[in-house]
Amino acid sequence: MPEPGLQNNDRRSFLKLLAAVPLFATIGSRTLANTVAASAGRSSSADVYTRLGVRPFINARGTWTYLSGSLELPEVQRAVENASQHFVDMFELQRGVGKRLAELSGAESGMVTSGSAGAMAVATAACIAGSDPKNVWQLPDTTGLKSEVVMLGGRSAFDSAIRLAGGKLVLAHGVDHLQSAITSQTAMVYTTWRDDRLSNALTITRNAGVPLLLDDAAGIPPFENLTRYSKLGVDLYCFSGGKGLRGPQCSGILLGRKHLIDAALANNNPWEGSVCRAMKVGKEEIIGMLAAVEYWSHADLDALNKEWRGRVERIAKLVETVPGVTTNITIPEEGNSYPTLTVMWDEARFGLTVAQCDQHLREGEPRIEVLTNTNPSLVPVVREGDDPKRKQVARPNQLQIISMTLRAGEDLTVGNRLRQILATARKESKTA
């Protein structure tokens, strides 16, 4: 007679399989439709890449720059197309867009940059050189200029953007170390802190008369972050355009006090002789970035979160039909705050590691990218944080699926492929 525990497990597996039946039916019908389309010889927009031997993929990893960020919003695509059909004065365009960004954010002014890293560079140049043409031309040589930048919270993989503009890094372990880190040579304080520590830091920097730059690259959505930092009195703050904002990949925004934004513009394209001239954004990126911000100013984030959560819930239903596989859905509190699915199994019992599963998904057709603890774009010797002697401990590897970068219908493809890989591994481990 079977043990009661085994009966319960079988019953749970059967119920999960039953719950997934409608999804299997949808997958079957879509597979048939794709087969018919392929036999009819229909061309694909992916041909622009495949003819070069480049494989597009289903993005379940999130808005990573090395994976080309995010897909532009339809509103952004239309704005970029319209912008490309006219000549404009770039000085006038940045001023006009900056005024509109100020209206939307509550900040004194704003500008479009070549990304968050570009914003870091122009902000650094602004705080070191100001708007004085002599100083602008002198950078990155900072002789006679204040050039120290306090890294509140430690070093970042992106602090080369500060150094290339002439900034000299000074590390501050925490708020308690900030006051002593600020000297007569401090030009700016940089941080990624967005919690209660930010207000404490601002009190210190205001008293010292030193501007603070907050880097919140993946901070939109929610749109409220655009206005929250201006209300807190943050001197300068920036966001990436190619992440959750879904603007052009080579874009970002820098917002803050008008005299600092004016100085940032003086150190940036199209000024010939400015240190950040190379960080060029065209009229298309500038208008596209504004279109993205305007979209998020009225977007229904609750409805979007419901849609995104539905995608990972369907994936969870499919993979949980494999006995021994469990899942959970969370929304991270830091950046990339979208419904995120974590898929778990006993790697030893399945004979399948997270890294191997990741490789199977990437090498299959279609190619699928998921989130693990790897970062193929990180320079290997980079050590983030404020203690170079501290031993770095790798976080446990886990397979996660980010909902926001999935397109409609791709959730079923991802769920079915992942189910097949896990089911095959489980079966082979039992026969081994």
Side-chain angles (χ1 to χ4, degrees), residues 60-100:
R61 185 181 176 99
T63 57
W64 288 67
T65 296
Y66 86 95
L67 294 178
S68 66
S70 57
L71 297 181
E72 292 180 352
L73 292 161
E75 292 84 352
V76 172
Q77 293 175 355
R78 290 193 293 270
V80 167
E81 173 62 23
N82 290 336
S84 70
Q85 299 180 39
H86 304 276
F87 291 102
V88 292
D89 183 307
M90 297 299 289
F91 292 111
E92 292 178 6
L93 180 58
Q94 280 280 27
R95 287 195 295 269
V97 169
K99 182 179 179 181
R100 177 60 179 148

Side-chain angles (χ1 to χ4, degrees), residues 54-60 66-67 360-369 413-414 417:
V54 176
R55 292 181 68 207
F57 56 86
I58 293 176
N59 187 358
Y66 86 95
L67 294 178
H360 286 315
L361 288 166
R362 183 177 300 110
E363 293 177 350
E365 187 60 44
R367 173 180 170 185
I368 298 171
E369 293 285 347
T413 302
V414 172
R417 276 277 300 288

Side-chain angles (χ1 to χ4, degrees), residues 230-254:
S230 66
K231 292 174 183 175
L232 285 173
V234 178
D235 303 284
L236 290 166
Y237 57 101
C238 62
F239 302 97
S240 171
K243 299 189 189 303
L245 266 166
R246 294 186 62 190
Q249 169 63 4
C250 300
S251 69
I253 49 176
L254 178 66

Side-chain angles (χ1 to χ4, degrees), residues 116-408:
S116 281
M120 291 167 62
V122 297
T124 302
C127 292
I128 293 176
S131 300
D132 186 328
K134 177 181 175 295
N135 295 339
V136 170
W137 172 234
Q138 181 178 317
L139 292 186
D141 175 5
T142 60
T143 303
L145 302 173
K146 296 180 180 180
S147 61
E148 292 180 356
V149 176
V150 177
M151 304 295 292
L152 184 54
R155 291 203 61 179
S156 158
F158 309 100
D159 61 32
S160 57
I162 293 172
R163 290 181 284 127
L164 66 83
K168 298 175 178 61
L169 307 185
V170 176
L171 306 187
H173 295 254
V175 173
D176 293 341
H177 300 90
L178 178 57
Q179 185 69 63
S180 60
I182 295 175
T183 71
S184 61
Q185 294 303 305
T186 302
M188 184 180 82
V189 172
Y190 168 91
T191 191
T192 59
W193 290 353
R194 300 177 292 279
D195 53 23
D196 293 341
R197 296 173 297 178
L198 177 60
S199 295
N200 296 332
L202 283 168
T203 299
I204 296 172
T205 56
R206 284 194 200 104
N207 291 337
V210 174
L212 180 144
L213 168 65
L214 171 65
D215 178 5
D216 192 8
I220 300 177
F223 180 78
E224 287 72 23
N225 282 339
L226 193 80
T227 58
R228 182 166 79 91
Y229 302 134
S230 66
K231 292 174 183 175
L232 285 173
V234 178
D235 303 284
L236 290 166
Y237 57 101
C238 62
F239 302 97
S240 171
K243 299 189 189 303
L245 266 166
R246 294 186 62 190
Q249 169 63 4
C250 300
S251 69
I253 49 176
L254 178 66
L255 301 155
R257 304 198 184 282
K258 188 177 186 305
H259 75 282
L260 293 174
I261 297 297
D262 287 345
L265 288 168
N267 285 272
N268 196 31
N269 178 71
W271 281 106
E272 298 173 12
S274 65
V275 71
C276 296
R277 159 92 179 185
M279 300 171 194
K280 183 181 295 184
V281 284
K283 58 185 181 292
E284 295 84 4
E285 286 85 9
I286 293 173
I287 291 297
M289 185 74 264
L290 178 59
V293 174
E294 289 181 328
Y295 165 84
W296 285 107
S297 70
H298 59 75
D300 187 343
L301 185 55
D302 288 338
L304 287 169
N305 270 318
K306 183 178 179 181
E307 177 185 343
W308 294 333
R309 187 177 184 89
R311 293 173 185 172
V312 288
E313 284 176 344
R314 287 188 286 274
I315 295 172
K317 274 188 178 181
L318 288 166
V319 298
E320 285 190 351
T321 61
V322 181
V325 175
T326 59
T327 67
N328 67 53
I329 298 172
T330 58
I331 298 181
E333 293 183 1
E334 294 296 321
N336 298 304
S337 300
Y338 318 111
T340 299
L341 176 71
T342 303
V343 182
M344 297 161 286
W345 66 93
D346 187 323
E347 296 179 62
R349 287 184 60 189
F350 275 62
L352 179 75
T353 66
V354 167
Q356 288 169 332
C357 186
D358 180 26
Q359 184 178 359
H360 286 315
L361 288 166
R362 183 177 300 110
E363 293 177 350
E365 187 60 44
R367 173 180 170 185
I368 298 171
E369 293 285 347
V370 295
L371 181 62
T372 66
N373 69 354
T374 62
N375 180 1
S377 60
L378 185 67
V379 176
V381 296
V382 167
R383 289 181 64 90
E384 294 190 308
D386 54 15
D387 185 359
K389 296 180 181 179
R390 184 180 61 194
K391 184 178 180 181
Q392 292 185 318
V393 180
R395 63 182 176 85
N397 203 6
Q398 56 185 356
L399 190 149
Q400 293 184 308
I401 292 168
I402 310 300
S403 57
M404 191 275 280
T405 46
L406 290 173
R407 292 187 288 181

